[in-house]
């Protein structure tokens, strides 16, 4: 057997060995991702159960929705929830999630209940027009447009129109982090709905 043939066999064996070492690592990474997704889905199911079994006034139920949504939409990422409505081309913030440190301090504190924002300085118009849940994973695409979210330090949003009585409200969740690494997906939109 020639040296060239032996070299070829040796190189092929090394390649096979290296490929076989990658398979367990890839499988382990995939299993960790599945476990993380399963844990997130389980937490969301628990949150939905808590909301459905929440007793009290309509106001306390809305507050529970915002608080649980802010905690479970993206665990490990600070998220703040808002319920807003449209009044004379102005967005009015009705309720804000209460258990976020972002609510009490920092730039997002400017979005307190009762705050009004010009419709043209928000993305709410898209939600009212399309009447479906929508996500914006990176608001830097809108830099320079004078959106109110910039002043609040929000970098990503996900929202849904919600009919309450005769009035359409918007349920909106924002984060100070862009969602580039793990963009909002169909499961997030379904959860919001």
């Amino acid at each position: 057997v020639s040296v060239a043939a032996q070299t070829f066999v040796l190189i092929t064996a090394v390649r096979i060995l290296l490929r076989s070492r990658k398979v367990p690592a890839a499988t382990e990474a995939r299993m960790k991702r599945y476990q993380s997704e399963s844990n997130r889905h389980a937490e969301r199911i628990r949150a939905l159960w808590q909301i459905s079994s929440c007793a009290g006034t309509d106001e306390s139920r809305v507050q529970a929705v915002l608080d649980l949504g802010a905690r479970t939409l993206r665990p490990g990422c600070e998220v703040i929830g808002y319920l807003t409505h449209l009044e004379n081309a102005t967005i009015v913030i009705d309720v804000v999630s209460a258990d976020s440190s972002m609510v009490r301090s920092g730039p997002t504190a400017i979005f307190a209940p009762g705050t009004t924002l010009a419709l043209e300085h928000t993305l709410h118009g898209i939600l009212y027009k399309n009447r479906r849940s929508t996500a914006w994973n990176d608001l830097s695409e809108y830099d320079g447009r004078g959106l109110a979210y910039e002043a609040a330090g929000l970098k990503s949003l996900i929202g849904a129109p919600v009919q309450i009585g005769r009035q359409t409200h918007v349920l909106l969740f924002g984060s100070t982090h862009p969602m580039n690494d793990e963009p909002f997906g169909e499961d997030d939109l379904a959860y919001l709905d």
Side-chain angles (χ1 to χ4, degrees), residues 9-144:
V9 170
L10 180 62
I11 289 172
T12 303
V14 168
R15 285 183 181 156
I16 291 171
L17 180 63
L18 289 174
R19 258 189 256 128
S20 69
R21 291 182 65 185
K22 290 180 183 178
V23 171
T27 302
E28 184 177 338
R30 197 169 35 253
M31 293 302 291
K32 284 182 180 179
R33 190 178 75 241
Y34 291 151
Q35 182 178 9
S36 175
E37 288 173 8
S38 295
N39 290 341
R40 184 170 58 195
H41 290 305
E43 184 60 33
R44 287 178 172 185
I45 290 169
R46 275 192 292 278
L48 291 171
W49 177 256
Q50 286 177 323
I51 290 168
S52 68
S53 63
C54 179
T57 64
D58 288 341
E59 291 81 17
S60 65
R61 289 179 62 108
V62 168
Q63 190 69 57
V65 167
L66 289 175
D67 293 346
L68 287 168
R71 275 197 319 267
T72 59
L73 189 62
R74 281 298 161 95
C77 197
E78 185 113 41
V79 174
I80 187 167
Y82 302 97
L83 182 68
T84 67
H85 74 276
L86 180 63
E87 189 174 296
N88 301 325
T90 303
I91 300 298
V92 179
I93 297 175
D94 298 313
V95 185
V96 179
S97 57
D99 61 349
S100 170
S101 61
M102 289 172 35
V103 175
R104 295 179 292 281
S105 63
T108 57
I110 65 172
F111 282 0
T115 301
T116 58
L117 309 166
L119 180 60
E120 66 268 12
H121 295 294
T122 70
L123 296 171
H124 283 68
I126 295 169
L127 294 165
Y128 282 112
K129 180 182 174 191
N130 296 341
R131 299 239 181 249
R132 69 172 190 262
S133 299
T134 306
W136 296 271
N137 291 305
D138 189 349
L139 292 177
S140 68
E141 298 172 24
Y142 297 92
D143 281 351

